[in-house]
Amino acid sequence: MATTAHQPLAERLRPRTLGEVIGQQHLLGPSMPLRIAFESGQPHSCILWGPPGTGKTTIARLMADAFDAQFLSISAVLGGVKDIREAVERATAARDGLEQQRTIVFVDEVHRFNKSQQDAFLPHVESGLFTFIGATTENPSFEVNSALLSRAAVYVLQSLGEDDLKQIVARAQAIQAVPAIDAAAVDRLVAYADGDARRLLNTLETLAVAARAEKLDHITDEWLLRVLGERMRRYDKGGEQFYDTISALHKSVRGSDPDAALYWFVRMLDGGADPRYMARRLVRMASEDIGLADPRALRLALDAAEVYERLGTPEGELALAECVVYLAIAPKSNAVYKAYNAVRALVKTDSTRPVPMHLRNAPTKLMKELDYGKGYRYAHDEEGGFAAGERYLPQGLEGQVFYEPVERGLEIRIAEKLRDLRRRNAEGNG
């Protein structure tokens, strides 16, 4: 028992059976995919994709136990081809030994292995020498080689919910690893863990040591705040969660919800996102989702970026927040964005159409003799500054329309203007 007491809390509470696993019931519950895999008696290669602290390593270990397999763990952060070679040798020895034991090779943070390292697993997975289990916090579609991905089932793990995390606290208390904890303190711990069981367990262990040092028999919320300090939320500045959060911000702005937009903006800053990156994204939103419905939005975004450069953090962040709210409430139009993409798609696949003669530049006498610029009508000399009926698109694209303004904001007036110009063009051609 003494040895057990000195084990890290995460190890002492590590589930020994599927029934002890907290969370992931969408995979491990009755008739769910991973439960069926465990009960089949036949291991298969898979990728466990999910946020930190959701049980990826635990599930891999349980799979090895369930199939009475040798469990070999490789860290893609610290390991390399040498570790893969050693795993192959040990798997071969287990297969060819007296007991003919299966092997499961577990690769943590598999997305950190490069292509050649990932490819090193392929022949052994195909031959059945070992079962491959990769764990990743990143989208395997982008980070895992397609050849390896095609040979492995992908299981998506979810962040643990509040009830799941409270169960972990209760289990820690049941083995007397931590003293009694007030309900308010438990709620704060759960919020601090932010769905990450490992983070919760490490925090509980830190608190237990501090409580013993101060000879406390229970933990209050006030004491917890003093020990824990300012709550920091889990945030991976380069990973999946980062892009999910910026996506939520962009879609909240597009959806004209200033409250949600401001929330996601602050979440990103709180998580450590570079305000300069945020400023660049706001400029993008102004041009993509607001456009000419309110041209002031783009100017405001540029001004906010300049203010941040002058003031820095934290004062400059207020200007960015002001921009976020303005963009959210501004009228929306992606008409220019759609028109730009439509023209790009056309130009990419279309032939190189010649510039009409009357639009060509004619700086030399020879060019003028070749009729470059001949017949061009100078718009400023025409009635209303508009050369009605003049053609500016190449031959074969006459009348093609790319930009179609929406009936929102300034584009209402732009649409009226375009309708008038197109009517005059039609009359001029008539």
Side-chain angles (χ1 to χ4, degrees):
M1 291 295 293
T3 303
T4 302
H6 287 88
Q7 285 183 326
L9 183 57
E11 190 60 35
R12 293 162 65 189
L13 289 182
R14 188 181 295 280
R16 302 294 187 259
T17 66
L18 276 185
E20 294 179 1
V21 175
I22 294 175
Q24 313 310 332
Q25 292 307 296
H26 65 294
L27 296 176
L28 298 173
S31 302
M32 292 295 106
L34 261 178
R35 168 76 68 167
I36 293 172
F38 272 83
E39 294 172 348
S40 70
Q42 185 63 43
H44 64 274
S45 294
C46 60
I47 303 288
L48 303 176
W49 171 29
T54 51
K56 297 185 287 293
T57 303
T58 293
I59 290 173
R61 287 183 179 276
L62 287 176
M63 193 173 290
D65 293 342
F67 301 119
D68 190 26
Q70 172 182 223
F71 183 80
L72 304 179
S73 180
I74 300 174
S75 170
V77 177
L78 304 173
V81 174
K82 178 176 177 290
D83 300 86
I84 299 172
R85 190 179 301 116
E86 289 178 359
V88 170
E89 291 172 357
R90 293 178 63 182
T92 303
R95 181 194 62 187
D96 299 339
L98 293 175
E99 296 183 5
Q100 296 185 334
Q101 189 181 26
R102 291 167 168 164
T103 296
I104 286 180
V105 175
F106 174 69
V107 181
D108 196 18
E109 304 288 347
V110 65
H111 60 275
R112 293 185 181 271
F113 269 158
N114 60 35
K115 184 179 186 301
S116 62
Q117 289 169 321
Q118 291 183 27
D119 284 345
F121 291 104
L122 289 175
H124 310 296
V125 171
E126 290 180 337
S127 70
L129 175 62
F130 54 70
T131 299
F132 171 86
I133 301 179
T136 179
T137 56
E138 304 296 324
N139 189 331
S141 300
F142 304 130
E143 304 295 342
V144 178
N145 289 355
S146 57
L148 185 57
L149 195 60
S150 68
R151 292 162 175 79
V154 176
Y155 296 111
V156 182
L157 280 69
Q158 300 172 353
S159 295
L160 273 63
E162 290 184 9
D163 291 340
D164 297 329
L165 294 170
K166 287 180 179 179
Q167 282 188 56
I168 293 175
V169 175
R171 286 190 184 180
Q173 291 178 311
I175 64 170
Q176 299 181 337
V178 292
I181 306 175
D182 289 353
V186 171
D187 288 341
R188 192 177 298 279
L189 276 170
V190 166
Y192 177 76
D194 202 16
D196 185 335
R198 187 184 302 114
R199 186 177 192 185
L200 175 63
L201 289 166
N202 290 341
T203 305
L204 285 172
E205 196 154 33
T206 300
L207 292 174
V209 171
R212 281 197 300 270
E214 296 188 25
K215 298 182 179 179
L216 295 178
D217 57 3
H218 81 282
I219 293 173
T220 65
D221 191 39
E222 292 77 16
W223 183 83
L224 176 66
L225 271 175
R226 179 166 63 83
V227 174
L228 199 60
E230 182 182 354
R231 190 181 79 181
M232 295 294 292
R233 301 192 68 83
R234 184 187 74 241
Y235 199 86
D236 179 1
K237 287 185 281 185
E240 185 78 15
Q241 188 181 8
F242 177 90
Y243 295 106
D244 284 346
T245 311
I246 189 63
S247 174
L249 169 60
H250 197 150
K251 288 170 182 171
S252 298
V253 167
R254 183 181 295 148
S256 300
D257 188 331
D259 300 302
L262 200 55
Y263 169 80
W264 292 117
F265 171 72
V266 174
R267 270 282 300 275
M268 294 199 72
L269 291 181
D270 181 61
D274 183 353
R276 292 178 179 83
Y277 169 82
M278 302 298 298
R280 291 195 298 273
R281 292 304 299 249
L282 294 176
V283 172
R284 168 70 181 192
M285 294 174 204
S287 57
E288 177 180 338
D289 290 293
I290 296 164
L292 293 179
D294 185 352
R296 296 170 298 182
L298 184 57
R299 183 65 260 171
L300 186 69
L302 291 168
D303 287 344
E306 183 180 349
V307 169
Y308 180 80
E309 289 298 331
R310 286 176 178 265
L311 298 183
T313 297
E315 293 88 350
E317 292 169 359
L318 181 59
L320 298 178
E322 180 182 326
C323 180
V324 167
V325 173
Y326 187 91
L327 296 184
I329 62 176
K332 304 298 186 296
S333 171
N334 67 344
V336 173
Y337 178 67
K338 289 172 63 179
Y340 172 67
N341 286 335
V343 174
R344 284 186 66 193
L346 173 66
V347 169
K348 188 174 182 178
T349 58
D350 195 30
S351 60
T352 304
R353 298 174 186 265
V355 176
M357 294 297 289
H358 67 287
L359 297 181
R360 296 187 187 187
N361 188 30
T364 68
K365 180 179 178 183
L366 174 61
M367 289 178 171
K368 290 177 181 176
E369 290 174 352
L370 293 174
D371 290 340
Y372 278 38
K374 183 178 181 180
Y376 171 65
R377 295 163 59 191
Y378 189 57
H380 293 289
D381 292 340
E382 302 278 339
E383 181 181 352
F386 179 66
E390 182 69 299
R391 179 172 63 87
Y392 297 100
L393 279 167
Q395 187 174 0
L397 292 180
E398 298 91 340
Q400 177 72 54
V401 174
F402 297 107
Y403 172 57
E404 297 182 357
V406 300
E407 295 295 323
R408 290 187 291 276
L410 181 63
E411 284 201 323
I412 294 174
R413 296 182 61 186
I414 293 174
E416 292 173 353
K417 176 71 173 178
L418 274 177
R419 282 192 290 269
D420 179 60
L421 293 176
R422 287 166 181 165
R423 176 187 58 77
R424 291 171 64 186
N425 265 333
E427 291 173 354
N429 286 323

